Amino acid sequence: MEKKSHNAQDVRAAMADMMASKEVFRQAVSYSFEYMDGVSDRPVFPEQKALDGLAAFDEPLPETPGDPKQILSLLHEKGSPATTAQTGGRYFGFVIGGTIPAALAARWLSDVWDQNAVLHVASPITAKLEEVCEGWLVDLLGLPQGTASGFVTGTSVATFCGLAAGRNALLEGAGWDAAIKGLFGAPPLRVIVGEEAHATVFKALSLLGLGSENVEKVPVDGQGRMDPARMPELDERCLLILQAGNVNSGAFDSFAEICPKAKDAGAWIHIDGAFGLWAAGSKRFQNLTQGVDLADSWSLDAHKTLNMPYDCGIVLCRRREALAAAMQASGSYIIYGEERDNMLYTPDMSRRGRGPELWAALKFLGKEGVGQLVDGLCDNAALLAEMLRERGFRILNDVAFNQVLAACETDELTQKTLAAVQASGECWCGGAVWKETQAIRVSVCSWVTTRDDLERTANAFFQALKTVTMG
Ligand SMILES: *Cc1c(COP(=O)(O)O)cnc(C)c1O
């Protein structure tokens, strides 16, 4: 009898070998450890050489199967250096958190499970852990008992879900079933946002058929907070969108002032709390979120302030049935059970379970750990602002949370300094225009950042400014 050869072309045999020997997984672990150990010492933004190295991935789709060890080695050799050092201590771009080790480890394990979180019957453990996380988050954030949660990619989708629930609930109040009739001929709704609402709010509104032209924008103060005195009259046809954490200044709308009146008027209140809502988990900063419990829906990112690995966004909704009704799907093969079915609360059906790593992070941190994490980010932001002031920078915002807006004497100087900071490799920040002034935008969002990292960052700013001024 001819012996079957397990050559490279026989992919099933090759995969079975990989599962049996585990070599490729050991290799992955070894590369991962090498990456972890080096991430704080390398340039924060990839060097030109690393960017040029990405050309190694430009090739036609292979005709025949490849060698998995070589594949992983290519990914590490050419891929790892072309990452930005987001898990190091000096990445301050956008609002990007670090990674809680307990969560990362739980993700590794649950990746091996490869569960489809769609229904309880498809994966009891992911249903269980999302249910547990729901209860813990409601407790941590001080939200109404019974609040429902959906675990999604990020705040963009979470906001979309919260506003979908709100839109449909308001229309239902007007005797209109949006799920069946759609928006054709529907009673008009009003949408009220602050002038400083995040771009993703407008994206969600557009996806929801609410457009942008009819959105009423409430003027904001110097920090980007809605001015409660200039809020229009609200009624039960209003979708009001507030913000916990302005993406530039970090400022919070004044919920305690706005929410009670909006609630009395019958408006649906949604809070975009992508990174700021986590302030509710800190004894020192929870005053910023006072009144958020009066809202109807909330969106937030565990992958920002909570330092979860990507992707981990959460929508929370006071009325469970409103979220479930807005996200509904049906099909004869869908088996709903007595237990939590995750797909009831999200737009997607099949997806990875986000419960295991979020559960691991929350179980590791506990309430006290979440508080320490939030406090640490805010204290570091305040410290960095002070260090930058000492080195001749202007700070444009009240550093009330984790965001710092720094500027030089002129817009031109700010832009050039920012470019020099980015090129230095010492740290990385983005830019923003704040109240018509160019700013360097620093988001202190990783648990990894130390005092030494802050000093190196402030010195890099100083050096950049010096170089630019002398040149
Ligand atoms: C980051 C952010 C978003 C978008 O969140 P994603 O997770 O990127 O989808 C929305 N609003 C605010 C205030 C943010 O900071």
Side-chain angles (χ1 to χ4, degrees):
M1 213 170 90
E2 208 185 327
K3 194 168 163 275
K4 257 201 173 162
S5 72
H6 285 188
N7 61 27
Q9 257 111 29
D10 191 350
V11 281
R12 288 176 53 193
M15 289 192 284
D17 282 349
M18 285 158 74
M19 293 308 283
S21 79
K22 316 270 185 309
E23 255 179 78
V24 74
F25 300 108
R26 280 190 204 98
Q27 191 187 358
V29 168
S30 146
Y31 289 155
S32 301
F33 289 169
E34 198 183 304
Y35 186 84
M36 286 176 187
D37 291 341
V39 76
S40 291
D41 300 323
R42 44 155 290 192
V44 176
F45 192 82
E47 289 174 304
Q48 193 55 47
K49 197 170 132 233
L51 297 176
D52 294 343
L54 290 174
F57 296 103
D58 293 326
E59 59 169 340
L61 174 65
E63 293 293 337
T64 54
D67 173 356
K69 287 202 288 191
Q70 269 173 21
I71 293 166
L72 206 64
S73 141
L74 177 66
L75 185 62
H76 182 50
E77 265 166 45
K78 301 292 183 189
S80 295
T83 58
T84 49
Q86 292 179 9
T87 53
R90 296 184 309 283
Y91 190 90
F92 305 104
F94 309 97
V95 185
I96 290 191
T99 302
I100 302 271
L104 179 58
R107 172 176 286 197
W108 281 4
L109 176 59
S110 60
D111 271 350
V112 174
W113 297 345
D114 192 25
Q115 297 288 282
N116 185 339
V118 55
L119 295 167
H120 182 272
V121 72
S123 178
I125 180 63
T126 44
K128 183 68 192 174
L129 292 180
E130 290 193 5
E131 179 186 280
V132 169
C133 287
E134 175 180 290
W136 286 3
L137 287 168
V138 166
D139 181 18
L140 180 73
L141 303 171
L143 302 182
Q145 280 304 314
T147 290
S149 64
F151 296 88
V152 294
T153 49
T155 292
S156 304
V157 175
T159 298
F160 169 81
C161 297
L163 296 182
R167 179 196 66 182
N168 290 10
L170 292 176
L171 287 173
E172 186 196 326
W176 189 268
D177 187 340
I180 292 171
K181 296 185 172 172
L183 298 182
F184 304 100
L189 296 180
R190 288 169 59 209
V191 180
I192 294 99
V193 304
E195 258 172 1
E196 277 280 335
H198 195 267
T200 52
V201 166
F202 295 100
K203 186 173 188 167
L205 289 170
S206 152
L207 286 169
L208 289 163
L210 297 170
S212 58
E213 216 173 83
N214 294 315
V215 174
E216 297 169 44
K217 291 189 187 169
V218 182
V220 295
D221 68 10
Q223 298 301 314
R225 287 178 296 238
M226 256 192 219
D227 180 353
R230 300 175 72 179
M231 181 77 67
E233 274 304 312
L234 300 175
D235 57 40
E236 66 289 342
R237 298 284 174 82
C238 290
L239 203 49
L240 171 66
I241 303 156
L242 305 177
Q243 182 166 260
N246 177 287
V247 78
N248 289 318
S249 71
F252 291 62
D253 282 331
S254 139
F255 309 109
E257 212 169 330
I258 299 169
C259 291
K261 285 182 207 151
K263 199 173 170 61
D264 283 348
W268 180 284
I269 309 169
H270 178 86
I271 296 177
D272 172 2
F275 63 95
L277 202 56
W278 297 103
S282 151
K283 290 204 169 65
R284 281 176 46 209
F285 292 91
Q286 65 192 181
N287 60 322
L288 292 169
T289 61
Q290 209 194 323
V292 293
D293 56 314
L294 294 174
D296 298 283
S297 54
W298 305 261
S299 44
L300 73 166
D301 271 328
H303 57 223
K304 287 181 178 167
T305 318
L306 195 68
N307 280 219
M308 287 291 298
Y310 285 92
D311 52 9
C312 196
I314 305 153
V315 56
L316 294 153
C317 186
R318 173 190 294 272
R319 283 173 47 196
R320 181 169 298 271
E321 79 292 351
L323 181 60
M327 298 295 128
Q328 70 174 291
S330 53
S332 61
Y333 64 96
I334 299 172
I335 312 159
Y336 294 117
E338 294 288 294
E339 319 271 358
R340 176 186 172 95
D341 285 316
N342 293 326
M343 69 167 277
L344 285 180
Y345 308 107
T346 63
D348 39 19
M349 213 167 147
S350 299
R351 63 170 171 87
R352 52 187 292 279
R354 300 188 171 98
E357 65 253 32
L358 183 56
W359 165 84
L362 292 171
K363 188 162 168 66
F364 164 71
L365 292 166
K367 288 184 186 178
E368 219 175 282
V370 173
Q372 282 182 24
L373 181 63
V374 172
D375 295 355
L377 303 178
C378 299
D379 288 344
N380 275 346
L383 194 56
L384 183 62
E386 209 37 60
M387 289 175 175
L388 291 175
R389 260 196 209 102
E390 280 166 12
R391 286 163 180 79
F393 288 84
R394 287 187 294 144
I395 301 301
L396 304 180
N397 63 322
D398 293 344
V399 183
F401 202 56
N402 70 324
Q403 304 288 111
V404 182
L405 295 171
C408 307
E409 267 159 51
T410 65
D411 278 356
E412 196 197 347
L413 210 50
T414 302
Q415 277 171 314
K416 284 186 174 162
T417 303
L418 173 59
V421 165
Q422 290 175 339
S424 74
E426 270 289 280
C427 60
W428 203 89
C429 314
V433 178
W434 181 250
K435 306 282 173 191
E436 277 140 44
T437 300
Q438 289 290 339
I440 303 179
R441 197 179 158 284
V442 191
S443 176
V444 184
C445 208
S446 173
W447 68 267
V448 178
T449 304
T450 60
R451 199 190 164 100
D452 179 55
D453 285 319
L454 299 177
E455 256 152 31
R456 277 179 69 172
T457 299
N459 289 338
F461 271 58
F462 183 69
Q463 276 307 322
L465 178 60
K466 211 163 101 183
T467 316
V468 166
T469 337
M470 308 234 285

